[in-house]
Amino acid sequence: MIKNYLTVAIRNILRHKGYATINIAGLALGIACCIILALFVRNELTYDRYHEGAERIYRVAEHRKVPAGEFRSPQVSPAVALAIKSGQPGVENAVRIDRIFNGLIERQGLSCYEDRMYYADPEIFQVFSIPFVKGNPHSALVEPLTVVISESIAARFYGDEDPVGQTILLKDPFMARLNDEYSGLVEYRITGVVEDAPSNTHFKYDVIVSLAILAGNQQYESWYGGGAYTYVKLREGIDAIAFEENIRRLAHEFEGSELSAWGQERDYYLQPLTGIHFDSKLTGFTMMPGRGEMETPGNYVYLYIYSVIGLLILVIGCMNFINLSTAHSVRRAREVGLRKVVGAGRFQLIGQYLGESVTITAISLIMALLLAELALPLFNEYAGTTLQLEQLLYPESVMAVGGLVLFVGIVAGCYPAFVLASIKPTLTLKGSSSAGTRGSFLLRTMVVGQFGISMFLAICTVTVHQQLEHMRSQGIGFDMEQKLVIPFRFDRHVRSRWEVLRSELVAHHSITGAAASSSVPGRWTRSGFLSYEEGILDPPKELRFISCDPNFLPLYEIEIVAGRPFSDSTDDDRRSFLINEAAVSYLGYSSPEAALGERLWESWLGRQKEIVGVTANFHYAGLQHDVEPLFMEFSDSRFDALTLMIAPGRIDEALDYVEAKWSELFPSTPFEAFFLDNAFDHQYRTERQMGQLMSLLSGLGLTVACLGLLGLVSFTARQRAQEIAIRRVLGAPTSRITLSMSVESAVLIALSGIVACPLAYAAASRWLENFAHTTEIDVWTLGLPVGLATILSLTTVVVCVFRAARANPVEALKYE
Amino acid sequence: MIELRNIAKYYRTGSVNTYVLRRITLDIREGEFISIMGPSGAGKSTLLNIVGMLDDASEGEYSFLGEPVHQLNEKKRASLYKEHMGFIFQSYHLIDELTVYENLETPLLYKKIKGSQRKSMVCDTLDRFQIVGKKDLFPNQLSGGQQQLVGVARALIANPKLLLADEPTGNLHSAQGKEIMDLFKKLNEEGTTIIQATHSETNSAYSRRIIRLHDGWLESDE
Ligand SMILES: Nc1ncnc2c1ncn2[C@@H]1O[C@H](COP(=O)(O)OP(=O)(O)O)[C@@H](O)[C@H]1O
Ligand SMILES: [Mg+2]
């Protein structure tokens, strides 16, 4: 019996290959998209949960009040960890992790900058679960000048060799502040290779360097020393709140009188490890680069968006499957009737058709898993994640997927199983003329649903793209075309010779200008404080700042609204400021002109400077944000980038020249450069990724929805085959029949539009609230996707109906 | 075997009932060979379908082998049907996706007949109808006559007591039609009760009793 069913099912699929492919592929695509998005969402939600005892691990953060303001920092003095370990019995372990900025890694002539390089205490492997591939986690970082590297670094620098026991050269440009002995390239011994960091941890390492060369350094481990991310793992059963209270005034216990003399207050508090990704957005002490979170914090909004999109695509896929299955099963009305005639009971029919439908759904699921497996590497590459299909292997998700397959299978099989099987075989055997009408309400609802969802996605997609376009095209207040940026990476040697580099480079005909600065638009790191008078620190004002040479403003075509730009009579300008328009009112001046000649103190350095000019607001930090108050100064000790203006059409030439010159001037430092417009666009990466993903998904959705419509139309066309045939016999032209059926579809599409537009409008407006400068949602935003969907769907309808109407009427009439 | 009492069938068209069969009272004994005749639209098929339990009567009583069919639930009726009846249509209704062999096998599957016995029954039938050579072909690879033959074979495979045939030769040319009729005659002689609907006098000549329908009325019973 089962064999008989299977035979029919398989032959049916083979006979209608096109239909079966579309049907199975549509559902498989929906499920695959949903699986990938689910993995992505899961990845976000499981941040740092994989560490053993993760719920007992906390990061120590600091709330610092100084006369100039308040900060919250995820980094604390390295003394904190020492004090906690020696004085707090509740601690199982504690570790300091200190990021190495612009660290360099070199072996046998192969060298590169490495962003994921950290110093760490050897306890790191007891606090965090970092699996070793080679080496011993208990001894790995105990000795000074030892290092543990990730598998990918090992592969890059050692290939198939065993790196353990070998040496590698590392450079930390900031080490000079503490220990001149280690300021250049230093030889380290590799004591371990660990697995690459998964994507669901905020601490993404590639190179973990023993902190032993810093441990014991008086300056480093003082309460006023550098900042290290400090994690504690509490013993089981220890109350975190009580523990937090114990360490809150730790600094004051040790340095109380000193701190109050400085007018400082420091409170320590605990951040649960697993909450860092979403809940912690600390900026740290912003004067220095690289303070703040290790990685850009997660955003719940995008998580919701991706969850919703994933579900919507799944819903479209399921609706499509149900629609097509139902439409197709009308063709099998005769089979159902015949089976009854030869003695099939109703439950046997129900069993057969539900079973068949569930089986096909299960096949789609298998296809979906294959698809997801194939697509995951691409997605991982694209989104920078390490998602794997196995990550979905836990009871809830397996049950959810199984339930889904069962549900979709049953709903899709309902029509033949329940509707057709309950109809008298005398009706179904005559053809399908009167058998079908009962299913069509369901089908119509589904088509409206599918198109509604597709249009919704399409409208949101258009909004995202409009917003991106808006951010790109809106006056950003400076020019970013043809600009090549060479970062100095805090290399003291490069920084000290920036003028040589500059003059050598501008000499070439492919380079029309060059300007040095502390940072470039789109790469913002620093801020500083200004106050009106020395000694009176209240109220000091925090502003962003940029340090640049006199070429900077003309090169970037930044407008001056009052006063003058920096001039080449350098000494003078080391004593002067420029501010932007936003800073004018922020600092309390009535107009740009009124600000000129005012003298302000730079709180941190204690230098007084005069405001000599006011620039127009330029969007140095991207259009998500309003332009914040900014001051500019000319101080070459802070320069960290050289911007080159490349002559049009000479990019390749310029690149070759710049790289050659660089290697000539700085033979031991790897060359790096990026184009400003790319880097600037990088700020919109989240938005752009979402835009691209949504384009893909709404395109898919629309395609699948059209397939669903095709299903509905062929369903009705078949139902009405006789009507069409008779009309043809009576002489009605094909076009009339086509028209009457197209009108019906058009009504459905219109209905979808009516449902989709307000919802999409609401969602899109809500999303746009995230931006300071937004595009308008206009008639086009809504009209374009709806129009497109309408054209696409009507084309589908016309083609399908036309074919039905052109069919030989004798075929349809044969059974009467 | 079959007792019909005041059977009527109507369809609702708008607010009025259009009668297709009116007050049909009829007794059929085992072993009879009956032709139901009448012009097109007279209600022959409808009557046959009601007798074959493929359709319900709107009014009246129907008992089959002493069971009151009009009172039985669907399941009971299906099993009565499955046990005792075979149905042949004017247009040879076979399952397109199944081969001749599989089409013949299907009724046996629903009767839950064991594999080996099933196989021998199918082989016997293939033999009897001389279609062994066609057993692996699909319906659309057969001629109309051959398809009808398979339809007949499928109706007969489980040795039904009652064979219902709705214009079984309607789509066949006369030679093929004669073959089927000869077969019916032989079956009837072997004891199968046969009711056929036809408007061909040639076909009705094979039967021993002719019932004429006109506009749903039972006109004569010879
Ligand atoms: N489903 C139906 N709805 C309405 N009328 C029907 C239906 N089926 C059959 N009829 C009508 O019933 C009458 C008898 O049909 P039928 O029994 O097929 O006639 P015959 O087989 O004698 O040609 C015809 O007039 C036909 O139009
Ligand atoms: Mg008829």
Side-chain angles (χ1 to χ4, degrees), chain A residues 86-101:
Chain A
S86 59
Q88 298 290 335
V91 175
E92 184 179 300
N93 235 320
V95 61
R96 296 169 293 185
I97 299 177
D98 205 345
R99 186 165 210 157
I100 300 177
F101 272 89

Side-chain angles (χ1 to χ4, degrees), chain A residues 706-759:
Chain A
C706 278
L707 294 178
L709 185 70
L710 195 78
L712 175 76
V713 172
S714 52
F715 177 81
T716 35
R718 225 178 150 75
Q719 269 177 30
R720 294 164 65 177
Q722 283 176 0
E723 183 198 327
I724 295 175
I726 291 166
R727 285 207 214 179
R728 286 247 351 244
V729 171
L730 294 177
T734 315
S735 60
R736 278 270 292 282
I737 301 163
T738 311
L739 185 71
S740 86
M741 290 192 71
S742 308
V743 166
E744 190 196 316
S745 307
V747 170
L748 294 182
I749 307 299
L751 209 62
S752 321
I754 292 171
V755 177
C757 283
L759 290 176

